[in-house]
Amino acid sequence: MYREWAPDSRVAGRVACVWSNEATAVMTTVTTTGTPQLVVPDGCVDLIWGPGGAQVAGPDTGPKTVWMSPGDRYIGIRFNPGAAGGVFGVPLDSLRDLRVPLSELESLRELSELTPFTGVTDAVQRVLAVRMRTTPEPDPAASAIAEALLAGRSVREVAWDLGLGERQLLRRSLRAFGYGPKTLQRVVRFQRALRLARRGIAAAEVAAASGYADQAHMANEVRRLAGVPLGRLIGRSADGY
């Protein structure tokens, strides 16, 4: 069962949510390796505690499958897109499409021994609050970059609007989100389509409202990012582990 709740005031604004996911014996599609849980790109970075230990889930550019056996439990802290700043102590693009043990990140090594049970979320938010006060803040242009790309502005137009060169925009996007503006645009457009589709809006309307050229363009992009058609995606959990 997946659920999420708001972070406390110490990290609110930069942390999107705290979440947990626990596999139960009644989960369907159980195989010898467990139950498959699909994770799709959302522009976020997560700190995760689970059966395999503590890790950072970097910004994804494609689908991931996590296999959960009955009793497996995960707890996570999800950062808003572009909001990590210097918390991790390494460039976000070095974490792209990776799952990195916290023990390998010196700045957050003290969190690697926590277990995904009692008290973990309070301890993590306390440490993150200190890190946020003592490390570089997020790029103040990050939200404007994401919003402009979601609105359908081209990379060149976004750079112009912000008074940046395209190379400057690329560097700032890599630092803030872990990937360049073209990839970011694909991810935020996909997430918007996913939100609209889950409301029951017709696919053609979703495509138009999300900035795709047409429904076929959306279908191809969804398959590239999620690995499954949109109709199948909205019928299963894709919110996290």
Side-chain angles (χ1 to χ4, degrees):
M1 178 186 297
Y2 177 85
R3 68 186 185 95
E4 61 182 48
W5 58 96
D8 68 29
S9 59
R10 292 172 294 186
V11 296
R14 293 176 63 177
V15 170
C17 68
V18 181
W19 58 264
S20 69
N21 199 8
E22 185 169 1
T24 65
V26 298
M27 295 181 76
T28 59
T29 322
V30 178
T31 71
T32 55
T33 54
T35 302
Q37 298 287 290
L38 181 64
V39 182
V40 298
D42 58 5
C44 300
V45 180
D46 290 58
L47 291 171
I48 300 170
W49 286 260
Q55 60 182 327
V56 173
D60 289 328
T61 60
K64 297 282 190 301
T65 299
V66 177
W67 296 89
M68 296 182 65
S69 298
D72 284 354
R73 185 185 185 193
Y74 291 86
I75 287 181
I77 304 285
R78 177 170 300 141
F79 282 80
N80 280 311
V87 165
F88 297 106
V90 297
L92 277 191
D93 57 315
S94 70
L95 302 174
R96 186 171 55 237
D97 288 318
L98 297 178
R99 302 296 183 262
V100 179
L102 282 185
S103 58
E104 296 182 10
L105 297 179
E106 182 177 354
S107 61
L108 296 176
R109 191 169 294 161
E110 64 184 289
L111 299 177
S112 63
E113 299 301 320
L114 295 176
T115 60
F117 298 102
T118 305
V120 64
T121 57
D122 182 70
V124 172
Q125 291 180 92
R126 184 171 61 250
V127 172
L128 290 180
V130 174
R131 288 287 298 168
M132 288 175 183
R133 292 195 299 268
T134 58
T135 57
E137 295 187 352
D139 188 334
S143 60
I145 292 171
E147 289 170 6
L149 291 171
L150 179 59
R153 304 285 285 174
S154 70
V155 172
R156 177 172 295 181
E157 289 171 332
V158 174
W160 175 266
D161 291 344
L162 296 175
L164 303 171
E166 289 186 51
R167 290 187 178 180
Q168 288 178 302
L169 178 61
L170 173 61
R171 288 194 296 270
R172 292 177 72 161
S173 181
L174 288 172
R175 287 197 300 267
F177 302 99
Y179 32 57
K182 290 183 178 180
T183 299
L184 175 62
Q185 185 172 55
R186 292 177 60 223
V187 170
V188 296
R189 184 171 55 192
F190 160 70
Q191 281 292 325
R192 181 174 186 176
L194 191 55
R195 289 192 297 271
L196 293 175
R198 283 175 170 160
R199 297 176 190 169
I201 298 173
E205 294 180 43
V206 170
S210 302
Y212 293 101
D214 51 34
Q215 190 173 336
H217 179 210
M218 179 178 72
N220 289 334
E221 280 289 281
V222 169
R223 281 186 174 273
R224 289 177 63 187
L225 289 168
V228 296
L230 182 61
R232 181 178 173 188
L233 185 61
I234 62 176
R236 62 191 294 179
S237 174
D239 295 305
Y241 285 71

